[in-house]
Amino acid sequence: TYKLYSNSGRWTFNGGIRANYWSFNKEWLISPRLSTTYVPDWNADFDFRLAVGLYHQAPFYKEIRTETTDKYGNTSLLLNKNIKAQRSLHVVLGADYYFRLWNRPFKFTAEAYYKPGDRVNPYYVDNVRIRYLGTNNAVAQTAGIDLKLFGEFVPGTDSWISFSWMYSKENL
């Protein structure tokens, strides 16, 4: 974490890296991330944020199984040793506004996000069972906004009202 004070306000930078090795398919998963927050001098009741990160999600056991059917119609499950971790880029832009209402503290938060992904492992729902295809043959993207008003609507009790909108699609 690094803080920078300027004539226009305070900047905070936070960065990190997450790394692990998946021995199943011998894949290194490196996930860097960076976020910055700006609190302007003109009004310390506001803060503005930008966060960017690359994320990897190694599949669980059910996600690495793939179905194969032989020429006689017999179906069997095999573990796909060539499967890779799903990967996505996350970009989040947000702001907070702190204020008092009815002599109590409140906070309004707004965030917009965009998350494109590749090497996605698609699935379908069979009644109540989720069936993963066990392959990385899809790309996807998600975008949305989250709005939240947090405070003490009833004195002494934390509560909130939120609204979210999300758009997501996948291409096999």
Side-chain angles (χ1 to χ4, degrees), residues 8 14 18-19 36 40 42 44 51 57 66 68 75 78 82 88 94 99 109-110 118 121 129 139-140 144-145 162:
S8 62
N14 191 331
R18 179 189 203 179
T36 183
W42 50 266
Q57 179 179 332
T66 184
T68 60
T75 301
L78 299 174
N82 295 320
S88 67
F99 62 96
T109 299
D118 67 349
N121 186 352
R129 182 181 291 180
V139 294
I145 59 169
S162 60

Side-chain angles (χ1 to χ4, degrees), residues 16-171:
I17 235 173
R18 179 189 203 179
N20 61 335
Y21 180 72
W22 192 28
S23 61
F24 177 75
N25 70 349
K26 299 173 179 47
E27 181 181 23
W28 276 98
L29 306 176
I30 311 289
S31 298
R33 52 205 68 184
L34 176 68
S35 67
T36 183
T37 303
Y38 172 66
V39 178
D41 270 352
W42 50 266
N43 191 338
D45 293 334
F46 285 94
D47 67 46
F48 303 95
R49 296 179 311 283
L50 173 65
V52 178
L54 181 62
Y55 292 83
H56 290 86
Q57 179 179 332
F60 293 106
Y61 172 71
K62 286 186 175 187
E63 297 173 76
I64 62 177
R65 297 184 313 179
T66 184
E67 287 184 6
T68 60
T69 305
D70 64 17
K71 64 182 179 181
Y72 304 109
N74 298 316
T75 301
S76 59
L77 294 173
L78 299 174
L79 298 182
N80 181 1
K81 285 275 197 180
N82 295 320
I83 199 163
K84 298 289 186 191
Q86 298 181 107
R87 169 174 76 175
S88 67
L89 173 70
H90 293 201
V91 179
V92 181
L93 183 63
D96 295 327
Y97 173 55
Y98 300 88
F99 62 96
R100 293 191 68 77
L101 184 65
W102 307 309
N103 289 324
R104 296 189 291 275
F106 281 82
K107 178 172 93 167
F108 177 73
T109 299
E111 288 188 333
Y113 56 88
Y114 177 65
K115 301 176 181 185
D118 67 349
R119 301 192 320 198
V120 174
N121 186 352
Y123 65 90
Y124 63 94
V125 178
D126 178 16
N127 196 3
V128 295
R129 182 181 291 180
I130 296 174
R131 299 277 189 168
Y132 292 92
L133 299 183
T135 60
N136 294 114
N137 64 337
V139 294
Q141 64 179 341
T142 299
I145 59 169
D146 293 321
L147 306 173
K148 183 176 180 181
L149 178 60
F150 179 84
E152 293 183 18
F153 293 99
V154 176
T157 304
D158 289 338
S159 50
W160 61 89
I161 296 172
S162 60
F163 171 80
S164 296
W165 172 85
M166 182 180 75
Y167 170 79
S168 190
K169 70 179 183 177
E170 180 179 80
N171 188 6

